Amino acid sequence: MSEIPAKATESEDSSGGARTGAADGSAFGDAPSADAMWQTSPPGSMYDYIKVASFSIGPDGLVDQWSLRAEQIFGVPADRAVGMDPIEAFLEPVRRERGQRKMAEILDGREWTGVVPFRLPDSVAADERDREGMAEVYVMPTRTEDGEKAAVCIVVDVRTLRRIETDLAASQAIFGQSPFGFLLIDPDLRVRRANQRFASTFGGSPDDHRGKGVHDYLPRGEAERVAATLRRVLETGDSITDMHVTGFVPGSDERRHWSVNLYRVHSGSGRPIGIAWLGTDITARRAAAREAAAARRNLALLNEAGARIGNSLDLETTARELLDVVVPGFCDLATVDLYQGLLAGDETPLGLADGSAEVRRVAFASAVSDAPFSGGTAEPVKLGAVHHYPFSSPCADALRTARPRFVPGEDGGLVQSTLAVPMVAHDTVVGLAQFARTKGSEPFGDRDRDLAVELAARAAVCIDNARLYRREHERALILQRSLLPPGDPEASGLDIACRYLPGNAATGRPSEVGGDWFDVIELPGHRTALVVGDVMGRGLRAAVAMGELRTAVRTLAQLDLEPAEVLAQLDEIARGLGAPGGPSQAFGSVGGVQQATRAARRPREADLSEVYLATCVYAVYDAVTRRCTFANAGHLPPVLVEPGEPALMLDVPPGMPLGVGGEPFEEVEVELAEGALLALYTDGLVESRDHPLDEGLQAFVGALTAPSRPSPGHHPPTTAPGADTYPNLEDVCDHVLNTLDTHHGEDDIALLMARVQGLPAESVGDWTLPREPRSVGRAREYARGQLLSWDMEPLVDTTELLVSELVTNALRYGEGEIRLRLLLDRTLVCEVWDSGLVQPRRRRARDTDEGGRGLQLVGLLSAAWGSRRTPRGKTVWFELPLPGPDTSLTDPAEALLSLF
């Protein structure tokens, strides 16, 4: 019952005035006074939403009772409504006549129900749109206490009814057509109502789910959690958004996941009447989220692998980098085995095709307290051990087919799942990586297999690159070392010591081979060419270029050219190295030099040419005069230490590096004191990333000064700096390298040191002969006398014969005075000088020729012979070994007979 009308009564209000009113009751209505409400509607009654008003009409057709709810609907207070004609007050003029007839019928005892349009008074309506209203009226005849006919009217605002109908229709559409599982749960946590979507998931019709609780749908533990959440929402009114619920649907063992939103539902009066449950199945979404998370994790793992694998060109380091990435982010245990034959440089080791070849374990990682891992072998393999897999094992099959294999875990063992993944680089299997997961971890799936293949492939490429680099590096080292002078070089009038250190030899780290080289070349007349050079760049190409330049230097040195001319020819050769069709490997003849020169002069093709630059110092030392001629091509200056003096850098014009071209080279001639120390070196000795060149040069000069000065008064060992005799050159080299240890290590180091030991005057015989026939006999006499004074009698006959031939040729084909010089050192050298420019040419004489056999005889009897240009002519020379137990001399008579 929504409302009980009461007779209008007079009551004193707070202002003392009289007021007429009626009681209006509603469960959660808008009654102005709580005293007027004497009975409430049942909880959740429709009257909470539909507000019903009432008024009564007396026998005279005027209002005699007016409820408070009527005041709200019509906007007319009771003191104005009582006593007015409702027909005149609320109906339009055109409807009043009909209204009067109806009112008469009602007062005559007839009931009437209908919808009546009414017009609000002008004082009540805010604007024209608010004047019109529709009321559903139920009129019931009644009688007053005096027995007169009257009427009671029940009124409902039609607009409110229409709004309720619309709301109900919308509510029904939302509830029934919602794509989500929709439940209305009562305060007892029982289903009051379910929609079709929910019923289609859990079976039956929506009515079949009435009265059920969460325990009927969810496992016990999950149901308890959800029930506690429902109670909290009912008590606090706090909504729950995206609560994840896990359970099963009837007839399926598949675990399902739902996202549930909960909120408390209130009646029209604001009283809580239950909980709304909106649930949607997110099983596929969670699976997709897991897929996306796994993809992100795999992508992150691949990115990490790209950043961490391959930073070193060392095989073992690269294998360890792979395991650092996968353990423990991808697996718990991992190993890497590489083919032993490939590591040893064998391109096709036996057993490679069938997977049974020997492999070496190069890396192992574990995230479970270093647990052992057998990985397809009978016993765990130690790190560094060489082993092989049985032919029928999954690991051998993976190596044989180049496809990953799942290896089952051992019963009772720690490992539950293993992936054996071949490491394939450039279609070649280089080894096997195994990834294992222990019990308790998720077993490997297809996605894990694909990721493992990608990781192993990336590591395999890096390992193969490291293997190829190691092979090329070793070849380059072999090539480089083969091009350096073997052992300790020897030279007339010089004590030689040298050092060559590859880059990073001190640190043990791998480094590319450089193009540093040095050489000691013996020249005729007890002269020596000292060479130190550095090809810019690193690697095998630099080593090959260095070999080509070194060979060219040796070829040019044998031509006995001046140092500046040698560098000029080398510059042409260096420019030809990078040109298409340039010199290939070596220059063993003058033709090779000319070929390089022509290649350098040809126009270069920009897409095929490559620039080779090199620096070089070329010096020629004459042991007789103790004079040394230097020419420099962009190299660091030589350092000279004279006895008792500090070390100093020689002022040799640096010139342009070889390969630049266009600039001439200058020569500087320096007379060296007996015992002077000369040092040639490359920039690796004095320059590094952390030490500037000037600092390194000063340190080098200081290191040479200290051990080279004599210190009188005591006699320490010769290896110590400051000895009263000059230290041994080998000790000086060691002292320099130890002193400059912090200044080098990144680049190759070449150090060539020579101490001057000039040829003594008594070891030189020098005579000038006039241009006349008698000079041939005098030359033989001078030679015989000098040899006898040197106690070289076994060489007298051969020397006399050869001197006679050379002086005769000088008289016949040469010009100017003739000079004869004999030099005794490790060998006997005889030189004949004249002013002619025509070089002697050896030819084969016919049996009938009377002459033409002189140079043939020189070639038969001497160990070596040749000719060279001089500033004022030419010199023809020959060399004889000194007599000794291991020396056999050719009999001149037999040599003469062999020519006929």
Side-chain angles (χ1 to χ4, degrees), residues 174-183 194-206 209 256 258 279-281:
I174 293 173
F175 195 88
Q177 301 175 20
S178 172
F180 308 109
F182 209 150
L183 297 178
N195 70 343
Q196 183 59 42
R197 179 69 175 179
F198 183 87
S200 64
T201 301
F202 287 92
S205 66
H209 295 277
R256 306 293 289 272
W258 294 276
T280 180
D281 193 329

Side-chain angles (χ1 to χ4, degrees), residues 522-540:
E522 291 193 77
L523 301 178
H526 291 298
R527 294 174 305 128
T528 304
L530 304 176
V531 189
V532 168
D534 184 2
V535 176
M536 298 181 186
R538 306 190 64 78
L540 185 60

Side-chain angles (χ1 to χ4, degrees), residues 16-330:
R19 177 175 192 275
T20 302
D24 228 328
S26 176
F28 294 94
D30 297 329
S33 174
D35 295 338
M37 195 177 301
W38 58 275
Q39 183 173 347
T40 61
S41 300
S45 170
M46 284 297 294
Y47 293 109
D48 291 343
Y49 303 96
I50 306 175
K51 296 177 174 55
V52 180
S54 66
F55 62 89
S56 62
I57 300 175
D60 53 1
L62 303 177
V63 176
D64 65 350
Q65 290 181 343
W66 193 256
S67 68
L68 296 178
R69 189 62 58 79
E71 289 185 7
Q72 297 174 3
I73 294 176
F74 295 101
V76 179
D79 56 354
R80 288 181 53 194
V82 173
M84 73 179 182
D85 185 350
I87 302 301
E88 295 292 333
F90 298 107
L91 294 182
E92 295 287 341
V94 296
R95 295 189 179 95
R96 287 174 184 172
E97 182 179 355
R98 185 181 178 189
Q100 292 294 346
R101 289 197 305 269
K102 290 293 183 182
M103 181 61 70
E105 294 176 358
I106 291 169
L107 293 177
D108 193 36
R110 296 182 64 181
E111 294 185 0
W112 180 82
T113 301
V115 177
V116 178
F118 64 90
R119 181 180 178 84
L120 296 175
D122 295 342
S123 60
V124 176
D127 53 36
E128 189 63 28
R129 291 175 299 176
D130 295 334
R131 292 180 182 275
E132 298 292 333
M134 295 291 291
E136 185 175 316
V137 182
Y138 178 42
V139 183
M140 297 171 289
T142 186
R143 292 182 182 275
T144 65
E145 294 178 356
D146 299 334
E148 296 179 302
K149 292 182 179 179
V152 176
C153 299
I154 306 298
V155 181
V156 178
D157 189 350
V158 176
R159 292 176 300 181
T160 303
L161 289 176
R162 297 295 180 266
R163 187 171 64 249
I164 292 175
E165 288 177 356
T166 302
D167 292 347
L168 286 175
S171 175
Q172 180 61 31
I174 293 173
F175 195 88
Q177 301 175 20
S178 172
F180 308 109
F182 209 150
L183 297 178
L184 181 62
I185 300 176
D186 62 20
D188 295 329
L189 305 187
R190 295 289 177 181
V191 176
R192 175 69 63 87
R193 187 177 180 185
N195 70 343
Q196 183 59 42
R197 179 69 175 179
F198 183 87
S200 64
T201 301
F202 287 92
S205 66
D207 291 338
D208 293 337
H209 295 277
R210 294 181 183 272
K212 292 185 177 181
V214 293
H215 288 81
D216 296 318
Y217 302 102
L218 301 174
R220 180 175 179 179
E222 191 74 345
E224 293 292 339
R225 182 179 70 87
V226 173
T229 304
L230 292 173
R231 294 188 191 95
R232 186 169 66 253
V233 172
L234 192 62
E235 293 172 358
T236 65
D238 296 335
S239 300
I240 298 295
T241 303
D242 197 25
M243 179 179 72
H244 287 193
V245 178
T246 303
F248 301 89
V249 297
S252 175
D253 295 334
E254 180 187 1
R255 184 180 296 274
R256 306 293 289 272
H257 303 273
W258 294 276
S259 172
V260 176
N261 298 325
L262 303 173
Y263 59 91
R264 192 170 68 181
V265 180
H266 302 81
S267 66
S269 63
R271 182 182 57 81
I273 61 173
I275 303 169
W277 169 302
L278 281 82
T280 180
D281 193 329
I282 60 171
T283 303
R285 191 176 79 188
R286 280 177 61 97
R290 288 198 302 270
E291 293 282 339
R296 287 193 299 270
R297 183 176 64 251
N298 294 350
L299 181 59
L301 202 62
L302 289 176
N303 288 338
E304 184 182 5
R308 298 180 60 181
I309 299 176
N311 294 323
S312 169
L313 288 174
D314 180 73
L315 294 170
E316 290 77 7
T317 302
T318 303
R320 287 195 298 269
E321 289 170 347
L322 169 64
L323 301 194
D324 290 341
V325 171
V326 300
V327 178
F330 177 71

Side-chain angles (χ1 to χ4, degrees), residues 498-580:
C498 53
R499 293 288 187 275
Y500 175 79
L501 297 179
N504 289 325
T507 60
R509 296 175 299 189
S511 172
E512 287 192 275
V513 173
D516 294 16
W517 91 91
F518 67 90
D519 208 345
V520 178
I521 307 169
E522 291 193 77
L523 301 178
H526 291 298
R527 294 174 305 128
T528 304
L530 304 176
V531 189
V532 168
D534 184 2
V535 176
M536 298 181 186
R538 306 190 64 78
L540 185 60
R541 298 181 66 84
V544 171
M546 176 269 284
E548 292 178 341
L549 290 177
R550 177 180 178 272
T551 305
V553 169
R554 282 191 158 266
T555 302
L556 295 170
Q558 297 303 323
L559 297 178
D560 219 340
L561 302 177
E562 296 297 324
E565 181 63 21
V566 170
L567 293 186
Q569 294 292 335
L570 281 178
D571 180 60
E572 295 287 341
I573 292 171
R575 285 192 289 159
L577 288 178

Side-chain angles (χ1 to χ4, degrees), residues 382-636:
K382 295 183 179 180
L383 187 64
V386 177
H387 65 101
H388 65 86
Y389 292 104
F391 180 81
S392 59
S393 66
C395 294
D397 185 63
L399 290 171
R400 184 166 51 250
T401 62
R403 295 180 179 178
R405 291 290 182 265
F406 287 98
V407 181
E410 300 178 0
D411 295 337
L414 179 67
V415 175
Q416 71 157 346
S417 180
T418 301
L419 270 174
V421 183
M423 305 181 73
V424 184
H426 312 298
D427 298 329
T428 301
V429 179
V430 298
L432 183 74
Q434 294 187 74
F435 310 104
R437 290 178 178 173
T438 57
K439 293 182 177 178
S441 300
E442 183 178 358
F444 289 113
D446 293 340
R447 184 185 299 103
D448 297 322
R449 178 197 58 201
D450 296 339
L451 177 61
V453 170
E454 178 65 23
L455 291 172
R458 293 192 178 196
V461 170
C462 297
I463 287 175
D464 194 52
N465 289 340
R467 179 182 67 86
L468 294 176
Y469 168 79
R470 176 181 289 184
R471 185 186 66 187
E472 295 302 317
H473 187 263
E474 291 175 352
R475 291 179 178 178
L477 281 177
I478 294 173
L479 172 62
Q480 187 181 46
R481 289 167 181 168
S482 67
L483 296 174
L484 295 175
D488 296 327
E490 295 182 356
S492 296
L494 291 176
D495 182 14
I496 303 291
C498 53
R499 293 288 187 275
Y500 175 79
L501 297 179
N504 289 325
T507 60
R509 296 175 299 189
S511 172
E512 287 192 275
V513 173
D516 294 16
W517 91 91
F518 67 90
D519 208 345
V520 178
I521 307 169
E522 291 193 77
L523 301 178
H526 291 298
R527 294 174 305 128
T528 304
L530 304 176
V531 189
V532 168
D534 184 2
V535 176
M536 298 181 186
R538 306 190 64 78
L540 185 60
R541 298 181 66 84
V544 171
M546 176 269 284
E548 292 178 341
L549 290 177
R550 177 180 178 272
T551 305
V553 169
R554 282 191 158 266
T555 302
L556 295 170
Q558 297 303 323
L559 297 178
D560 219 340
L561 302 177
E562 296 297 324
E565 181 63 21
V566 170
L567 293 186
Q569 294 292 335
L570 281 178
D571 180 60
E572 295 287 341
I573 292 171
R575 285 192 289 159
L577 288 178
S584 57
Q585 288 296 328
F587 303 93
S589 67
V590 178
V593 177
Q594 294 173 347
Q595 179 188 2
T597 303
R598 290 194 299 270
R601 291 172 179 168
R602 283 196 297 268
R604 298 190 182 189
E605 299 179 24
D607 56 340
L608 296 177
S609 63
E610 181 175 357
V611 176
Y612 284 86
L613 297 179
T615 63
C616 180
V617 168
Y618 185 85
V620 176
Y621 169 72
D622 190 336
V624 179
T625 62
R626 293 202 314 275
R627 302 189 68 84
C628 189
T629 304
F630 297 91
N632 191 353
H635 203 78
L636 296 174

